[in-house]
Amino acid sequence: YMKRVVLPILFSIAIGVVMSASIIFFRVWIGDAYRGVDPILSPVTQDGAWYHATVKEAMEGGNSWHAALFEGKGDAYPVPDLAEKILAVPGRIFGMEAQSLLLFWRFVLIAFFAFVIFFVTKRIEGSSSFAYFATGISVLLAPLLYPLADPVMTLLGYSPSMPFTIYDRPVHPQFEAPFVWLFLYFATAAILEPKKKRNAILAGLIFGLLAHTYFWAWTFCLAALVVLALIATVSRSRVAISRVAITAGLGLLIAAPKIASLVRFTFFGNDASYAERMAAYSGHAFASWTLNLPVVLALALLIWRRRFASPWVRTFAATGLGGSFIALNQQIVTGISIQPDHYVQLITASF
């Protein structure tokens, strides 16, 4: 029990402490000069200030994505905001300040994410040593793995300083990261262990939840389901195909209201300007090579060494990497792309 449960929990807590240490050190170092504002802005994490504002707005009972202006606080907005509303609950109950609330969630969510990675890696690989190694690398060194050119360009002095880790950015991807891993695990289990229908149901529930929290999370899950559908079809397993259908159907049913809102605000009437504000562009070209190259190299390595990997590892890795490639380049078919860098920088870098 100590090795299976207690040590992984302590390891996850340690990673959460490491990820929170910079903010704690800043408050101790600045001493009496601290005025309630943590270092939430830097050359590479400008969104930190914005998410600080959205959580504060949610704590005050408003629509979190109307955080900048007084006008229009009650208006609908197409961006999913369930994550902000959930994270705001302890702050509203206990009267916490936004910066203290975000520090609390920074520790809790990253520790939870680390535990999920350990759990999933241990289940599919079977090695505790590898699970510890993969957890530490995935959480702490993810920015070194995406885009492939960034570390080289930084060393040559041609780009801004890289973040310590992408997971120090509040709300997103802190909230979605563990659920994306759990989705992949349950969705993979749904076709490898098709007799257990609960795996397909759990994957569908997570898929639907993510549609109400973050655009790039649920669209990645949808792309991953395309890969799983192809795998199930090639395997000619009707049960596996039905499990993918259950996951997709349940997830899309839960996601339908948010997807309908997104489509309306993106394509119809006066609201169509939302797509421009989200930096959407039209075209049928591949995403940047700096985004695609790490995914393609990882897929090539998987194909080259596939006979040395278990069915679980092959399927899980193929789903995560294949889903990443499809999500990155879906504009080849749809003709519309919205900030594709978010897939590899915020959602799939840990893979």
Side-chain angles (χ1 to χ4, degrees):
Y1 180 79
M2 176 67 71
K3 290 183 178 180
R4 290 187 297 106
V5 179
V6 177
L7 288 181
I9 290 177
L10 293 177
F11 181 69
S12 301
I13 291 174
I15 289 181
V17 170
V18 169
M19 291 297 300
S20 305
S22 60
I23 300 296
I24 298 172
F25 173 80
F26 171 79
R27 294 187 182 186
V28 173
W29 172 70
I30 202 169
D32 294 337
Y34 180 68
R35 294 295 182 266
V37 179
D38 294 319
I40 55 178
L41 204 60
S42 76
V44 288
T45 58
Q46 295 94 334
D47 287 343
W50 171 249
Y51 287 117
H52 183 283
T54 61
V55 169
K56 183 173 177 59
E57 186 67 32
M59 290 172 63
E60 295 172 353
N63 288 331
S64 58
W65 277 71
H66 286 290
L69 301 175
F70 176 78
E71 294 79 11
K73 292 292 188 183
D75 296 344
Y77 203 75
V79 173
D81 61 354
L82 182 60
E84 285 85 350
K85 291 179 178 178
I86 292 174
L87 299 184
V89 171
R92 300 182 70 176
I93 293 175
F94 299 107
M96 301 171 67
E97 294 291 335
Q99 61 272 12
S100 297
L101 179 66
L102 288 176
L103 177 59
F104 165 76
W105 283 119
R106 181 172 180 155
F107 166 74
V108 171
L109 290 175
I110 293 177
F112 177 51
F113 180 39
F115 185 78
V116 167
I117 293 180
F118 180 90
F119 165 78
V120 172
T121 307
K122 179 69 165 60
R123 290 296 297 269
I124 67 176
E125 174 61 26
S127 169
S128 295
S129 299
F130 179 76
Y132 283 116
F133 174 78
T135 301
I137 291 292
S138 299
V139 178
L140 299 179
L141 298 182
L144 297 179
L145 309 178
Y146 82 87
L148 195 61
D150 274 10
V152 177
M153 297 301 288
T154 299
L155 291 174
L156 295 177
Y158 291 111
S159 66
S161 299
M162 295 179 64
F164 167 55
T165 168
I166 54 177
Y167 301 110
D168 60 1
R169 184 174 119 154
V171 187
H172 310 293
Q174 288 179 1
F175 185 88
E176 289 79 22
F179 292 104
V180 169
W181 271 76
L182 287 173
F183 165 82
L184 274 182
Y185 172 75
F186 288 122
T188 302
I191 69 169
L192 293 181
E193 302 173 355
K195 292 183 179 180
K196 299 178 180 179
K197 188 183 292 186
R198 67 174 181 272
N199 289 321
I201 294 174
L202 288 170
L205 290 174
I206 295 173
F207 174 27
L209 167 71
L210 291 175
H212 292 268
T213 67
Y214 201 49
F215 170 80
W216 291 273
W218 76 264
T219 49
F220 163 74
C221 291
L222 186 60
L225 284 175
V226 172
V227 177
L228 283 173
L230 290 174
I231 294 174
T233 301
V234 171
S235 68
R236 298 181 180 181
S237 170
R238 293 183 179 180
V239 180
I241 294 173
S242 70
R243 295 297 179 258
V244 176
I246 289 173
T247 298
L250 178 59
L252 290 173
L253 180 64
I254 298 172
K258 186 51 66 177
I259 294 176
S261 174
L262 178 66
V263 170
R264 177 172 67 86
F265 274 86
T266 304
F267 299 109
F268 297 102
N270 296 329
D271 295 327
S273 62
Y274 166 72
E276 297 178 4
R277 297 197 301 274
M278 290 295 288
Y281 66 87
S282 300
H284 297 275
F286 282 97
S288 167
W289 72 270
T290 61
L291 301 177
N292 273 306
L293 187 58
V295 179
V296 172
L297 290 177
L299 278 170
L301 179 63
L302 175 65
I303 294 172
W304 177 43
R305 308 292 289 180
R306 65 187 182 279
R307 59 193 179 94
F308 296 101
S310 67
W312 256 102
V313 172
R314 289 198 303 267
T315 306
F316 184 86
T319 303
L321 295 171
S324 300
F325 184 79
I326 292 174
L328 269 175
N329 301 288
Q330 53 77 33
Q331 68 275 2
I332 294 174
V333 176
T334 65
I336 300 175
S337 179
I338 300 179
Q339 302 183 53
D341 58 307
H342 280 45
Y343 289 111
V344 290
Q345 292 179 347
L346 303 179
I347 300 301
T348 65
S350 58
F351 297 145

